[in-house]
Amino acid sequence: EVQLVESGGGLVQPGGSLRLSCAVSGFTFSNYEMNWVRQAPGKGLEWVSYISGSGSIIYYADSVKGRFTISRDNAGNSLYLEMNSLKPDDTAVYYCAREAVADRFDYWGQGTLVTVSS
Amino acid sequence: EIVMTQSPATLSVSPGERATLSCRASQSVSNNLAWYQQKPGQAPRLLIYGASTRATDISARFSGSGSGTEFTLTISSLQSEDFAVYYCQQYNNWPRTFGQGTEVEIK
């Protein structure tokens, strides 16, 4: 059974940092591209970042470029999102999502809430 | 960036009726279009990919059509569990972009 479990969310002050993790199981992690998608309270879905199976190709949304860093540990079956210089607009539930090759997001985690507030 | 526009924002439908949701792309995305269902407090769930292919274990009530810039999700006979928010997403270009969602509510 494919499972993705996010962790690391919480309350952080503006300008602060947080590291999200996504632990996966039930599939060969290194064979799949991965993404982070976020959803602000009461709003729609916003793609945040992508990483290829090897980690050699990475993309970011303009809204987080230069502040967020995506990475992965294929041996440990984990995906990460390092978030720095956080702003109130970054407040959202953050989901990790598996991507079938250059394709749809076929499995999602349950999400972890990040709240940026003083 | 490709802008995805969904209509209507809210669709009021009686159980057993048909629901038709629209999604328009600001430029062609070929058939690289997915539909997701999201219920309150839950993660999105993939329904349709490749504009018209149902994902694993998705009911035949759900069907997708279209290509290029115009797409449709049809729910043939709404069941209670189908009342939710539906999002379209293009994966033809970076950045991946989602529509703003259509809420299907009970009439």
Side-chain angles (χ1 to χ4, degrees):
Chain A
E1 180 191 5
V2 172
Q3 288 193 324
L4 295 83
V5 179
E6 301 94 337
S7 61
L11 175 63
V12 61
Q13 291 189 338
S17 299
L18 213 53
R19 189 193 199 205
L20 306 183
S21 300
C22 172
V24 312
S25 60
F27 63 99
T28 304
F29 184 52
S30 59
N31 287 352
Y32 287 86
E33 303 155 332
M34 298 294 296
N35 292 266
W36 288 98
V37 177
R38 68 184 180 183
Q39 186 170 37
K43 302 297 184 182
L45 300 169
E46 179 189 16
W47 170 79
V48 172
S49 185
Y50 158 95
I51 187 167
S52 64
S54 66
S56 60
I57 301 173
I58 286 173
Y59 299 119
Y60 297 101
D62 285 346
S63 58
V64 306
K65 199 173 296 182
R67 300 187 298 122
F68 289 12
T69 302
I70 191 171
S71 62
R72 64 191 296 159
D73 174 3
N74 285 343
N77 290 333
S78 292
L79 174 73
Y80 303 102
L81 186 68
E82 186 78 36
M83 303 185 296
N84 298 316
S85 303
L86 283 161
K87 308 173 183 179
D89 283 351
D90 295 318
T91 294
V93 173
Y94 285 73
Y95 297 100
C96 60
R98 190 181 85 165
E99 179 172 336
V101 178
D103 213 293
R104 70 277 189 188
F105 297 175
D106 58 356
Y107 286 93
W108 299 61
Q110 86 290 350
T112 187
L113 176 62
V114 172
T115 303
V116 184
S117 174
S118 54
Chain B
E1 171 175 319
I2 296 177
V3 177
M4 307 300 292
T5 304
Q6 292 185 241
S7 61
T10 305
L11 188 60
S12 298
V13 185
S14 299
E17 289 188 340
R18 173 187 296 253
T20 302
L21 289 67
S22 295
C23 175
R24 173 177 291 179
S26 60
Q27 66 188 75
S28 176
V29 298
S30 186
N31 68 336
N32 296 313
L33 190 284
W35 289 94
Y36 301 88
Q37 176 194 67
Q38 188 179 34
K39 297 178 181 179
Q42 295 186 16
R45 178 175 71 142
L46 175 67
L47 295 177
I48 300 285
Y49 64 94
S52 60
T53 302
R54 275 190 302 277
T56 304
D57 294 331
I58 298 302
S59 168
R61 296 195 306 277
F62 294 91
S63 62
S65 63
S67 67
T69 61
E70 300 285 342
F71 301 89
T72 300
L73 175 69
T74 301
I75 312 171
S76 60
S77 176
L78 271 155
Q79 306 296 303
S80 58
E81 62 266 29
D82 300 334
F83 292 96
V85 179
Y86 293 83
Y87 294 95
C88 63
Q89 179 223 3
Q90 66 81 20
Y91 48 88
N92 195 65
N93 289 67
W94 294 99
R96 304 304 195 219
T97 46
F98 293 88
Q100 79 280 18
T102 290
E103 180 181 7
V104 177
E105 64 174 23
I106 300 174
K107 187 175 182 179

PDB file of all heavy atoms in Angstrom, chain B residues 29-59:
ATOM      1  N   VAL B  29      -2.899  22.741 -23.374  1.00  0.00           N
ATOM      2  CA  VAL B  29      -2.172  21.806 -22.521  1.00  0.00           C
ATOM      3  C   VAL B  29      -2.271  20.400 -23.098  1.00  0.00           C
ATOM      4  O   VAL B  29      -2.024  19.418 -22.389  1.00  0.00           O
ATOM      5  CB  VAL B  29      -2.686  21.848 -21.060  1.00  0.00           C
ATOM      6  CG1 VAL B  29      -2.472  23.232 -20.472  1.00  0.00           C
ATOM      7  CG2 VAL B  29      -4.146  21.433 -20.961  1.00  0.00           C
ATOM      8  N   SER B  30      -2.647  20.302 -24.389  1.00  0.00           N
ATOM      9  CA  SER B  30      -2.856  19.006 -25.029  1.00  0.00           C
ATOM     10  C   SER B  30      -3.890  18.212 -24.209  1.00  0.00           C
ATOM     11  O   SER B  30      -4.941  18.754 -23.876  1.00  0.00           O
ATOM     12  CB  SER B  30      -1.531  18.269 -25.148  1.00  0.00           C
ATOM     13  OG  SER B  30      -1.690  17.082 -25.879  1.00  0.00           O
ATOM     14  N   ASN B  31      -3.580  16.981 -23.859  1.00  0.00           N
ATOM     15  CA  ASN B  31      -4.488  16.237 -22.965  1.00  0.00           C
ATOM     16  C   ASN B  31      -3.862  16.022 -21.602  1.00  0.00           C
ATOM     17  O   ASN B  31      -4.231  15.108 -20.857  1.00  0.00           O
ATOM     18  CB  ASN B  31      -4.885  14.892 -23.589  1.00  0.00           C
ATOM     19  CG  ASN B  31      -3.719  13.940 -23.679  1.00  0.00           C
ATOM     20  OD1 ASN B  31      -2.560  14.362 -23.702  1.00  0.00           O
ATOM     21  ND2 ASN B  31      -3.988  12.656 -23.698  1.00  0.00           N
ATOM     22  N   ASN B  32      -2.904  16.869 -21.249  1.00  0.00           N
ATOM     23  CA  ASN B  32      -2.191  16.749 -19.977  1.00  0.00           C
ATOM     24  C   ASN B  32      -2.952  17.456 -18.861  1.00  0.00           C
ATOM     25  O   ASN B  32      -2.508  18.470 -18.306  1.00  0.00           O
ATOM     26  CB  ASN B  32      -0.769  17.281 -20.119  1.00  0.00           C
ATOM     27  CG  ASN B  32       0.035  16.452 -21.093  1.00  0.00           C
ATOM     28  OD1 ASN B  32       0.027  15.219 -21.033  1.00  0.00           O
ATOM     29  ND2 ASN B  32       0.714  17.110 -22.025  1.00  0.00           N
ATOM     30  N   LEU B  33      -4.096  16.888 -18.539  1.00  0.00           N
ATOM     31  CA  LEU B  33      -5.040  17.504 -17.631  1.00  0.00           C
ATOM     32  C   LEU B  33      -5.557  16.446 -16.657  1.00  0.00           C
ATOM     33  O   LEU B  33      -5.935  15.335 -17.073  1.00  0.00           O
ATOM     34  CB  LEU B  33      -6.193  18.116 -18.434  1.00  0.00           C
ATOM     35  CG  LEU B  33      -7.245  19.026 -17.801  1.00  0.00           C
ATOM     36  CD1 LEU B  33      -8.261  18.269 -16.982  1.00  0.00           C
ATOM     37  CD2 LEU B  33      -6.615  20.135 -16.992  1.00  0.00           C
ATOM     38  N   ALA B  34      -5.548  16.794 -15.374  1.00  0.00           N
ATOM     39  CA  ALA B  34      -6.055  15.897 -14.336  1.00  0.00           C
ATOM     40  C   ALA B  34      -7.174  16.574 -13.561  1.00  0.00           C
ATOM     41  O   ALA B  34      -7.230  17.806 -13.476  1.00  0.00           O
ATOM     42  CB  ALA B  34      -4.935  15.491 -13.384  1.00  0.00           C
ATOM     43  N   TRP B  35      -8.037  15.750 -13.004  1.00  0.00           N
ATOM     44  CA  TRP B  35      -9.092  16.211 -12.101  1.00  0.00           C
ATOM     45  C   TRP B  35      -8.900  15.549 -10.744  1.00  0.00           C
ATOM     46  O   TRP B  35      -8.599  14.362 -10.662  1.00  0.00           O
ATOM     47  CB  TRP B  35     -10.474  15.835 -12.637  1.00  0.00           C
ATOM     48  CG  TRP B  35     -10.928  16.590 -13.847  1.00  0.00           C
ATOM     49  CD1 TRP B  35     -10.791  16.208 -15.152  1.00  0.00           C
ATOM     50  CD2 TRP B  35     -11.622  17.848 -13.878  1.00  0.00           C
ATOM     51  NE1 TRP B  35     -11.352  17.140 -15.993  1.00  0.00           N
ATOM     52  CE2 TRP B  35     -11.871  18.159 -15.230  1.00  0.00           C
ATOM     53  CE3 TRP B  35     -12.064  18.736 -12.897  1.00  0.00           C
ATOM     54  CZ2 TRP B  35     -12.542  19.324 -15.629  1.00  0.00           C
ATOM     55  CZ3 TRP B  35     -12.733  19.890 -13.286  1.00  0.00           C
ATOM     56  CH2 TRP B  35     -12.963  20.170 -14.632  1.00  0.00           C
ATOM     57  N   TYR B  36      -9.096  16.340  -9.685  1.00  0.00           N
ATOM     58  CA  TYR B  36      -8.984  15.852  -8.323  1.00  0.00           C
ATOM     59  C   TYR B  36     -10.262  16.191  -7.558  1.00  0.00           C
ATOM     60  O   TYR B  36     -10.890  17.220  -7.800  1.00  0.00           O
ATOM     61  CB  TYR B  36      -7.797  16.506  -7.597  1.00  0.00           C
ATOM     62  CG  TYR B  36      -6.464  16.266  -8.267  1.00  0.00           C
ATOM     63  CD1 TYR B  36      -6.006  17.127  -9.257  1.00  0.00           C
ATOM     64  CD2 TYR B  36      -5.665  15.187  -7.918  1.00  0.00           C
ATOM     65  CE1 TYR B  36      -4.794  16.918  -9.889  1.00  0.00           C
ATOM     66  CE2 TYR B  36      -4.443  14.967  -8.538  1.00  0.00           C
ATOM     67  CZ  TYR B  36      -4.020  15.835  -9.523  1.00  0.00           C
ATOM     68  OH  TYR B  36      -2.810  15.621 -10.148  1.00  0.00           O
ATOM     69  N   GLN B  37     -10.580  15.326  -6.602  1.00  0.00           N
ATOM     70  CA  GLN B  37     -11.697  15.552  -5.694  1.00  0.00           C
ATOM     71  C   GLN B  37     -11.134  15.804  -4.300  1.00  0.00           C
ATOM     72  O   GLN B  37     -10.216  15.086  -3.866  1.00  0.00           O
ATOM     73  CB  GLN B  37     -12.594  14.318  -5.658  1.00  0.00           C
ATOM     74  CG  GLN B  37     -13.751  14.386  -4.683  1.00  0.00           C
ATOM     75  CD  GLN B  37     -14.377  13.009  -4.478  1.00  0.00           C
ATOM     76  OE1 GLN B  37     -13.765  12.105  -3.932  1.00  0.00           O
ATOM     77  NE2 GLN B  37     -15.616  12.848  -4.942  1.00  0.00           N
ATOM     78  N   GLN B  38     -11.669  16.797  -3.602  1.00  0.00           N
ATOM     79  CA  GLN B  38     -11.237  17.040  -2.231  1.00  0.00           C
ATOM     80  C   GLN B  38     -12.441  17.232  -1.326  1.00  0.00           C
ATOM     81  O   GLN B  38     -13.281  18.086  -1.581  1.00  0.00           O
ATOM     82  CB  GLN B  38     -10.313  18.257  -2.133  1.00  0.00           C
ATOM     83  CG  GLN B  38      -9.701  18.405  -0.744  1.00  0.00           C
ATOM     84  CD  GLN B  38      -8.758  19.585  -0.648  1.00  0.00           C
ATOM     85  OE1 GLN B  38      -8.946  20.617  -1.280  1.00  0.00           O
ATOM     86  NE2 GLN B  38      -7.706  19.440   0.164  1.00  0.00           N
ATOM     87  N   LYS B  39     -12.496  16.448  -0.271  1.00  0.00           N
ATOM     88  CA  LYS B  39     -13.533  16.591   0.745  1.00  0.00           C
ATOM     89  C   LYS B  39     -12.948  17.333   1.943  1.00  0.00           C
ATOM     90  O   LYS B  39     -11.728  17.332   2.137  1.00  0.00           O
ATOM     91  CB  LYS B  39     -14.059  15.221   1.152  1.00  0.00           C
ATOM     92  CG  LYS B  39     -14.726  14.492  -0.015  1.00  0.00           C
ATOM     93  CD  LYS B  39     -15.209  13.123   0.382  1.00  0.00           C
ATOM     94  CE  LYS B  39     -15.848  12.428  -0.807  1.00  0.00           C
ATOM     95  NZ  LYS B  39     -16.317  11.060  -0.481  1.00  0.00           N
ATOM     96  N   PRO B  40     -13.801  17.960   2.752  1.00  0.00           N
ATOM     97  CA  PRO B  40     -13.293  18.758   3.886  1.00  0.00           C
ATOM     98  C   PRO B  40     -12.372  17.950   4.798  1.00  0.00           C
ATOM     99  O   PRO B  40     -12.695  16.816   5.175  1.00  0.00           O
ATOM    100  CB  PRO B  40     -14.579  19.159   4.617  1.00  0.00           C
ATOM    101  CG  PRO B  40     -15.623  19.186   3.552  1.00  0.00           C
ATOM    102  CD  PRO B  40     -15.265  18.054   2.618  1.00  0.00           C
ATOM    103  N   GLY B  41     -11.224  18.537   5.108  1.00  0.00           N
ATOM    104  CA  GLY B  41     -10.277  17.906   6.007  1.00  0.00           C
ATOM    105  C   GLY B  41      -9.487  16.771   5.404  1.00  0.00           C
ATOM    106  O   GLY B  41      -8.731  16.097   6.123  1.00  0.00           O
ATOM    107  N   GLN B  42      -9.648  16.536   4.111  1.00  0.00           N
ATOM    108  CA  GLN B  42      -8.936  15.434   3.458  1.00  0.00           C
ATOM    109  C   GLN B  42      -7.999  15.959   2.377  1.00  0.00           C
ATOM    110  O   GLN B  42      -8.151  17.081   1.889  1.00  0.00           O
ATOM    111  CB  GLN B  42      -9.933  14.458   2.829  1.00  0.00           C
ATOM    112  CG  GLN B  42     -10.824  13.744   3.832  1.00  0.00           C
ATOM    113  CD  GLN B  42     -11.690  12.688   3.156  1.00  0.00           C
ATOM    114  OE1 GLN B  42     -11.444  12.264   2.026  1.00  0.00           O
ATOM    115  NE2 GLN B  42     -12.722  12.241   3.871  1.00  0.00           N
ATOM    116  N   ALA B  43      -7.044  15.113   2.000  1.00  0.00           N
ATOM    117  CA  ALA B  43      -6.164  15.432   0.885  1.00  0.00           C
ATOM    118  C   ALA B  43      -6.919  15.266  -0.427  1.00  0.00           C
ATOM    119  O   ALA B  43      -7.915  14.548  -0.498  1.00  0.00           O
ATOM    120  CB  ALA B  43      -4.949  14.510   0.905  1.00  0.00           C
ATOM    121  N   PRO B  44      -6.459  15.940  -1.464  1.00  0.00           N
ATOM    122  CA  PRO B  44      -7.049  15.702  -2.794  1.00  0.00           C
ATOM    123  C   PRO B  44      -6.869  14.249  -3.222  1.00  0.00           C
ATOM    124  O   PRO B  44      -5.915  13.583  -2.813  1.00  0.00           O
ATOM    125  CB  PRO B  44      -6.255  16.651  -3.700  1.00  0.00           C
ATOM    126  CG  PRO B  44      -5.717  17.695  -2.791  1.00  0.00           C
ATOM    127  CD  PRO B  44      -5.431  16.978  -1.499  1.00  0.00           C
ATOM    128  N   ARG B  45      -7.798  13.785  -4.044  1.00  0.00           N
ATOM    129  CA  ARG B  45      -7.735  12.424  -4.576  1.00  0.00           C
ATOM    130  C   ARG B  45      -7.817  12.497  -6.086  1.00  0.00           C
ATOM    131  O   ARG B  45      -8.706  13.176  -6.622  1.00  0.00           O
ATOM    132  CB  ARG B  45      -8.884  11.569  -4.021  1.00  0.00           C
ATOM    133  CG  ARG B  45      -8.918  10.150  -4.563  1.00  0.00           C
ATOM    134  CD  ARG B  45      -9.977   9.312  -3.915  1.00  0.00           C
ATOM    135  NE  ARG B  45     -11.336   9.664  -4.298  1.00  0.00           N
ATOM    136  CZ  ARG B  45     -12.312   8.777  -4.502  1.00  0.00           C
ATOM    137  NH1 ARG B  45     -12.056   7.473  -4.394  1.00  0.00           N
ATOM    138  NH2 ARG B  45     -13.529   9.192  -4.791  1.00  0.00           N
ATOM    139  N   LEU B  46      -6.919  11.803  -6.760  1.00  0.00           N
ATOM    140  CA  LEU B  46      -6.910  11.806  -8.222  1.00  0.00           C
ATOM    141  C   LEU B  46      -8.125  11.063  -8.759  1.00  0.00           C
ATOM    142  O   LEU B  46      -8.397   9.933  -8.362  1.00  0.00           O
ATOM    143  CB  LEU B  46      -5.636  11.149  -8.740  1.00  0.00           C
ATOM    144  CG  LEU B  46      -5.512  10.964 -10.246  1.00  0.00           C
ATOM    145  CD1 LEU B  46      -5.401  12.330 -10.938  1.00  0.00           C
ATOM    146  CD2 LEU B  46      -4.303  10.092 -10.585  1.00  0.00           C
ATOM    147  N   LEU B  47      -8.855  11.719  -9.674  1.00  0.00           N
ATOM    148  CA  LEU B  47     -10.013  11.090 -10.315  1.00  0.00           C
ATOM    149  C   LEU B  47      -9.723  10.705 -11.755  1.00  0.00           C
ATOM    150  O   LEU B  47     -10.000   9.600 -12.192  1.00  0.00           O
ATOM    151  CB  LEU B  47     -11.206  12.059 -10.326  1.00  0.00           C
ATOM    152  CG  LEU B  47     -11.825  12.498  -9.023  1.00  0.00           C
ATOM    153  CD1 LEU B  47     -12.939  13.510  -9.311  1.00  0.00           C
ATOM    154  CD2 LEU B  47     -12.360  11.310  -8.240  1.00  0.00           C
ATOM    155  N   ILE B  48      -9.218  11.678 -12.507  1.00  0.00           N
ATOM    156  CA  ILE B  48      -9.058  11.576 -13.956  1.00  0.00           C
ATOM    157  C   ILE B  48      -7.675  12.090 -14.322  1.00  0.00           C
ATOM    158  O   ILE B  48      -7.223  13.102 -13.768  1.00  0.00           O
ATOM    159  CB  ILE B  48     -10.107  12.427 -14.692  1.00  0.00           C
ATOM    160  CG1 ILE B  48     -11.536  11.976 -14.363  1.00  0.00           C
ATOM    161  CG2 ILE B  48      -9.862  12.422 -16.202  1.00  0.00           C
ATOM    162  CD1 ILE B  48     -11.979  10.691 -15.026  1.00  0.00           C
ATOM    163  N   TYR B  49      -7.006  11.440 -15.265  1.00  0.00           N
ATOM    164  CA  TYR B  49      -5.764  11.957 -15.830  1.00  0.00           C
ATOM    165  C   TYR B  49      -5.791  11.743 -17.329  1.00  0.00           C
ATOM    166  O   TYR B  49      -6.640  11.006 -17.852  1.00  0.00           O
ATOM    167  CB  TYR B  49      -4.533  11.319 -15.183  1.00  0.00           C
ATOM    168  CG  TYR B  49      -4.404   9.830 -15.422  1.00  0.00           C
ATOM    169  CD1 TYR B  49      -3.638   9.332 -16.471  1.00  0.00           C
ATOM    170  CD2 TYR B  49      -5.045   8.915 -14.585  1.00  0.00           C
ATOM    171  CE1 TYR B  49      -3.520   7.974 -16.683  1.00  0.00           C
ATOM    172  CE2 TYR B  49      -4.936   7.557 -14.788  1.00  0.00           C
ATOM    173  CZ  TYR B  49      -4.173   7.092 -15.838  1.00  0.00           C
ATOM    174  OH  TYR B  49      -4.065   5.742 -16.043  1.00  0.00           O
ATOM    175  N   GLY B  50      -4.877  12.405 -18.010  1.00  0.00           N
ATOM    176  CA  GLY B  50      -4.895  12.341 -19.466  1.00  0.00           C
ATOM    177  C   GLY B  50      -6.218  12.828 -20.036  1.00  0.00           C
ATOM    178  O   GLY B  50      -6.642  12.389 -21.101  1.00  0.00           O
ATOM    179  N   ALA B  51      -6.856  13.716 -19.299  1.00  0.00           N
ATOM    180  CA  ALA B  51      -8.139  14.354 -19.642  1.00  0.00           C
ATOM    181  C   ALA B  51      -9.334  13.421 -19.555  1.00  0.00           C
ATOM    182  O   ALA B  51     -10.454  13.881 -19.294  1.00  0.00           O
ATOM    183  CB  ALA B  51      -8.091  15.006 -21.021  1.00  0.00           C
ATOM    184  N   SER B  52      -9.119  12.117 -19.771  1.00  0.00           N
ATOM    185  CA  SER B  52     -10.279  11.235 -19.868  1.00  0.00           C
ATOM    186  C   SER B  52     -10.086   9.851 -19.259  1.00  0.00           C
ATOM    187  O   SER B  52     -11.021   9.025 -19.316  1.00  0.00           O
ATOM    188  CB  SER B  52     -10.695  11.069 -21.332  1.00  0.00           C
ATOM    189  OG  SER B  52      -9.636  10.495 -22.086  1.00  0.00           O
ATOM    190  N   THR B  53      -8.940   9.562 -18.692  1.00  0.00           N
ATOM    191  CA  THR B  53      -8.677   8.237 -18.123  1.00  0.00           C
ATOM    192  C   THR B  53      -8.984   8.231 -16.625  1.00  0.00           C
ATOM    193  O   THR B  53      -8.414   9.041 -15.877  1.00  0.00           O
ATOM    194  CB  THR B  53      -7.214   7.825 -18.351  1.00  0.00           C
ATOM    195  OG1 THR B  53      -6.931   7.830 -19.750  1.00  0.00           O
ATOM    196  CG2 THR B  53      -6.955   6.435 -17.783  1.00  0.00           C
ATOM    197  N   ARG B  54      -9.860   7.338 -16.220  1.00  0.00           N
ATOM    198  CA  ARG B  54     -10.170   7.253 -14.792  1.00  0.00           C
ATOM    199  C   ARG B  54      -8.993   6.633 -14.038  1.00  0.00           C
ATOM    200  O   ARG B  54      -8.380   5.657 -14.495  1.00  0.00           O
ATOM    201  CB  ARG B  54     -11.424   6.406 -14.552  1.00  0.00           C
ATOM    202  CG  ARG B  54     -12.731   7.178 -14.667  1.00  0.00           C
ATOM    203  CD  ARG B  54     -13.899   6.337 -14.187  1.00  0.00           C
ATOM    204  NE  ARG B  54     -14.015   5.086 -14.930  1.00  0.00           N
ATOM    205  CZ  ARG B  54     -14.618   4.974 -16.100  1.00  0.00           C
ATOM    206  NH1 ARG B  54     -15.157   6.037 -16.658  1.00  0.00           N
ATOM    207  NH2 ARG B  54     -14.677   3.813 -16.708  1.00  0.00           N
ATOM    208  N   ALA B  55      -8.710   7.189 -12.872  1.00  0.00           N
ATOM    209  CA  ALA B  55      -7.671   6.624 -12.016  1.00  0.00           C
ATOM    210  C   ALA B  55      -8.162   5.315 -11.392  1.00  0.00           C
ATOM    211  O   ALA B  55      -9.346   4.979 -11.458  1.00  0.00           O
ATOM    212  CB  ALA B  55      -7.297   7.628 -10.932  1.00  0.00           C
ATOM    213  N   THR B  56      -7.237   4.613 -10.771  1.00  0.00           N
ATOM    214  CA  THR B  56      -7.546   3.333 -10.158  1.00  0.00           C
ATOM    215  C   THR B  56      -8.665   3.455  -9.129  1.00  0.00           C
ATOM    216  O   THR B  56      -8.655   4.360  -8.301  1.00  0.00           O
ATOM    217  CB  THR B  56      -6.289   2.769  -9.464  1.00  0.00           C
ATOM    218  OG1 THR B  56      -5.238   2.679 -10.410  1.00  0.00           O
ATOM    219  CG2 THR B  56      -6.566   1.391  -8.885  1.00  0.00           C
ATOM    220  N   ASP B  57      -9.634   2.555  -9.218  1.00  0.00           N
ATOM    221  CA  ASP B  57     -10.738   2.449  -8.256  1.00  0.00           C
ATOM    222  C   ASP B  57     -11.728   3.618  -8.305  1.00  0.00           C
ATOM    223  O   ASP B  57     -12.514   3.791  -7.379  1.00  0.00           O
ATOM    224  CB  ASP B  57     -10.211   2.299  -6.828  1.00  0.00           C
ATOM    225  CG  ASP B  57      -9.463   0.995  -6.615  1.00  0.00           C
ATOM    226  OD1 ASP B  57      -9.787   0.012  -7.315  1.00  0.00           O
ATOM    227  OD2 ASP B  57      -8.544   0.965  -5.775  1.00  0.00           O
ATOM    228  N   ILE B  58     -11.688   4.417  -9.347  1.00  0.00           N
ATOM    229  CA  ILE B  58     -12.634   5.528  -9.478  1.00  0.00           C
ATOM    230  C   ILE B  58     -13.883   5.030 -10.203  1.00  0.00           C
ATOM    231  O   ILE B  58     -13.804   4.377 -11.247  1.00  0.00           O
ATOM    232  CB  ILE B  58     -12.003   6.715 -10.219  1.00  0.00           C
ATOM    233  CG1 ILE B  58     -10.808   7.248  -9.423  1.00  0.00           C
ATOM    234  CG2 ILE B  58     -13.036   7.809 -10.462  1.00  0.00           C
ATOM    235  CD1 ILE B  58     -11.122   7.688  -8.003  1.00  0.00           C
ATOM    236  N   SER B  59     -15.038   5.385  -9.641  1.00  0.00           N
ATOM    237  CA  SER B  59     -16.314   4.946 -10.182  1.00  0.00           C
ATOM    238  C   SER B  59     -16.513   5.401 -11.623  1.00  0.00           C
ATOM    239  O   SER B  59     -16.094   6.497 -12.009  1.00  0.00           O
ATOM    240  CB  SER B  59     -17.452   5.511  -9.317  1.00  0.00           C
ATOM    241  OG  SER B  59     -18.702   5.333  -9.950  1.00  0.00           O
TER     242      SER B  59
END
